[in-house]
Every structure is written in structure tokens, then in C-alpha cells.
Amino acid sequence: MPDHAATESTTGSVLTWVPPPYAEPGRFSEHEVTVGTGPVAVPGTVSVPRGQIPGPGVVLLGGGGPFDRDETCGPNKPLKDLAWGLASRGTTVLRFDKATYAHREVATASDLTMTQEYMPYAVDAVGLLRRHRSVDPERVFVLGHSMGGKIAPAVATAAPTVAGLVIMAGDTQPMHHAAVRVISYLATVVPDQVPPTTVATFQRQAALVDSAQLTPSTPAADLPFGLPAPYWLELRDYDPVAIAAGLGKPMLILQGGRDYQVTVADDLARWRAGLANRPEADIRVYDADNHLFFPGAGPSTPAEYAYPQHVDPTVIADIADWLSHCKA
């Protein structure tokens, strides 16, 4: 589901991102690329390790919503943390602005779907990395966070050369059901921000998504997050776990234990059940981490995103190690 985005610190002043301790800028360089084709192509950045033989490459896919290439959330940039952390450890990383961020006409299109939002850009990015001088073309991976993790198995189907997947907080519960669960949770932990009428609105919208009354012409204003009907019609039939189970590719599936948007009980349980007989699936839980894989304590709330943090260094190290040793 669309990720929460805080824009300012609790003091009201805009904060800037600073590199995490595990990023070593002297160990990599960056250059700009264009991802996709035509008038709705988007800009991206490739982080390239210095002075090594061709190694693994990874395409980063951000979560739901109009995110930039860094998945900027207030003063935080979790995808930039990942890119700089992994590039410091020998992996070439490509990240790009989502089309819904770069092009208003894409974000407001009445026929927008998850596939249109992600797929052509993800597939093109895979091809770009396969041709990059620093990358072994047989070792290009896709790393998706949240909705980026949900669609990652479909990307690997559309781009069969993908060597494997890293799925971080990939949601599997139907998104309209998750929206009701999340807003109900927020109504209990921040009741001053979520009145009961908001919960009732989400419940009514989710019921419409489930119903036979949902058609391509259903007004977006009647649906969760204002996303158009074609988006929900596609999602109703989309099962990321079933697609992943049919891939036969290595997968690293990561989950934060404190995540209230994508949860161990509601989402990870489906990955575990659907991939129970798949030895290529490595599933790990980081008990202290929230949805952005920031470590913390106590119940997670949107307020956590309003002050500067970084992706858990253990998560960075585990992904880097998995990528360096993974055999497709």
C-alpha cells in the first residue's frame, strides 16, 4: 500500500539526508541514466563500485506512491541508503524516479495500473544493468521494497534473465484489506489523527473493491487512495506469492518485526506458506525494524519517519552478502 511520507522534522524545519556510517563514497562513483523510452522516460542513478571485475548488479524498486529514486520520506532516503551501502560493498545499483513522481500525466491517468507504473521501467533497468561494464550480465537482481517487492516476481517473469529477487516488506495481503487494517491500527495509536469516520470510509471503499459493482468506470474518488478502478481490478487478481513460487529463482525475503504496514502475521505468513517447499527462498525477520527497516522500539507510528534515520546496517550487510554468494 502507499507508504507514509513525512515532510518535516518535529521542530518544523526541513532536514537533509546525510550518508549512513556504512556508506563509503570513496569506494564507488555515480552517473545518471534514462530509464524507459519516449515522453514518459524517467531519470535514474547508477552507483558503480570502483576498480573491480564485473560483479552483481541490482535494480531497486520503491514502494507504493509517487516516490523519487531515493524513496524520500521526510529527511530519510531508504533507497539511497541501500544504493550507497551496497555499492560500498561491491554491487552496482540502479535506482530511478517512479513515473508517477516524474510525470503528472502518469500519476493522474484514469487507466493507471500497477503494471503500467512499474513494469516497463523495471524491465528496461534490468537491461541497462546487464549491459553495464561493471556488471556480470548473469548476476542482475531485482530488489523491491513494499509494493516494489509485491511486483518483483512479475518483473522476473517479464525479464527472465533476472538472477534472483530481494523482497523487503513485500505485501501479500490484498491492498484494500491492508488499507483497512492499517487505518484501524492508526486509529488506536494516533486517535487524534484518524477519526472514526476515516476508518468507515476505508471500509466502504474496500467493500466496493471486493464487490461486483467495481468496473473500469467506477470513480477513483470512491476507491482507496484515489487510485483508479483499473488499478484495483488488476490487484484483485494479482498473487505475488504464486508467481514467486513458479519462478525457481533464488529469493531473499526480508521483513521488519515492528512493521505495521506490511506485517509478519498478515503478509509474511503468506510468503512462508507459499514458499515452504522452495529451498531457494531465504526468509529473515528483523525484530526491531519498521516498514523502512529503521531499527526502533515499541509500537511503530508514522512519527518515526519524521526524524533522520538509516536502513538497519545488519540488513545492508545481509543483502550484500547474499548478493555476493547467490548462485542463480
Side-chain angles (χ1 to χ4, degrees), residues 9-303:
S9 73
T10 54
T11 64
S13 59
V14 176
L15 301 177
T16 57
W17 180 87
V18 296
Y22 46 74
E24 301 179 51
R27 300 193 65 178
F28 62 93
S29 62
E30 290 193 315
H31 64 267
E32 298 297 287
V33 293
T34 298
V35 180
T37 59
V40 292
V42 298
T45 300
V46 183
S47 305
V48 185
R50 296 187 186 277
Q52 69 169 45
I53 62 173
V58 63
V59 172
L60 303 186
L61 302 179
F67 279 111
D68 66 10
R69 72 196 73 182
D70 300 328
E71 204 177 49
T72 299
C73 184
N76 300 297
K77 297 180 179 290
L79 290 194
K80 192 169 184 177
D81 287 350
L82 284 162
W84 284 34
L86 296 175
S88 298
R89 288 156 180 76
T91 295
T92 299
V93 184
L94 194 165
R95 64 194 195 276
F96 55 89
D97 293 347
K98 290 182 66 178
T100 46
Y101 172 85
H103 301 289
R104 176 171 173 77
E105 66 270 27
V106 175
T108 59
S110 61
D111 61 349
L112 180 68
T113 65
M114 180 179 67
T115 294
Q116 293 171 355
E117 185 178 12
Y118 283 92
M119 191 67 73
Y121 305 95
V123 171
D124 189 56
V126 168
L128 286 171
L129 274 192
R130 294 192 78 232
R131 297 188 297 272
H132 200 279
R133 57 177 173 75
S134 69
V135 176
D136 177 346
E138 302 305 314
R139 298 177 67 196
V140 173
F141 299 83
V142 171
L143 185 159
H145 173 245
S146 197
M147 181 174 277
K150 177 199 285 284
I151 200 169
V155 173
T157 299
T161 58
V162 168
L165 303 175
V166 180
I167 297 173
M168 301 180 67
D171 49 311
T172 61
Q173 184 182 28
M175 194 169 80
H176 54 300
H177 297 168
V180 173
R181 171 177 54 75
V182 169
I183 203 68
S184 300
Y185 168 83
L186 293 176
T188 65
V189 296
V190 286
D192 57 318
Q193 300 176 33
V194 184
T197 53
T198 302
V199 177
T201 296
F202 271 82
Q203 290 172 332
R204 182 176 64 254
Q205 292 171 337
L208 178 55
V209 173
D210 277 329
S211 75
Q213 281 68 52
L214 180 66
T215 70
S217 60
T218 300
D222 295 342
L223 298 167
F225 310 116
L227 291 170
Y231 209 100
W232 295 105
L233 288 166
E234 179 186 64
L235 283 182
R236 285 201 313 194
D237 298 325
Y238 182 77
D239 185 346
V241 177
I243 297 172
L247 289 175
K249 296 180 183 288
M251 287 172 278
L252 178 63
I253 299 174
L254 310 181
Q255 174 69 43
R258 295 175 54 251
D259 189 345
Y260 66 84
Q261 293 167 252
V262 176
T263 71
V264 171
D266 299 289
D267 297 282
L268 189 68
R270 289 174 167 85
W271 289 116
R272 283 174 163 160
L275 302 175
N277 298 318
R278 301 289 177 174
E280 67 272 16
D282 184 343
I283 298 176
R284 309 182 192 185
V285 177
Y286 300 83
D287 290 331
D289 291 357
N290 64 17
H291 186 60
L292 299 183
F293 290 84
F294 298 160
S300 181
T301 72

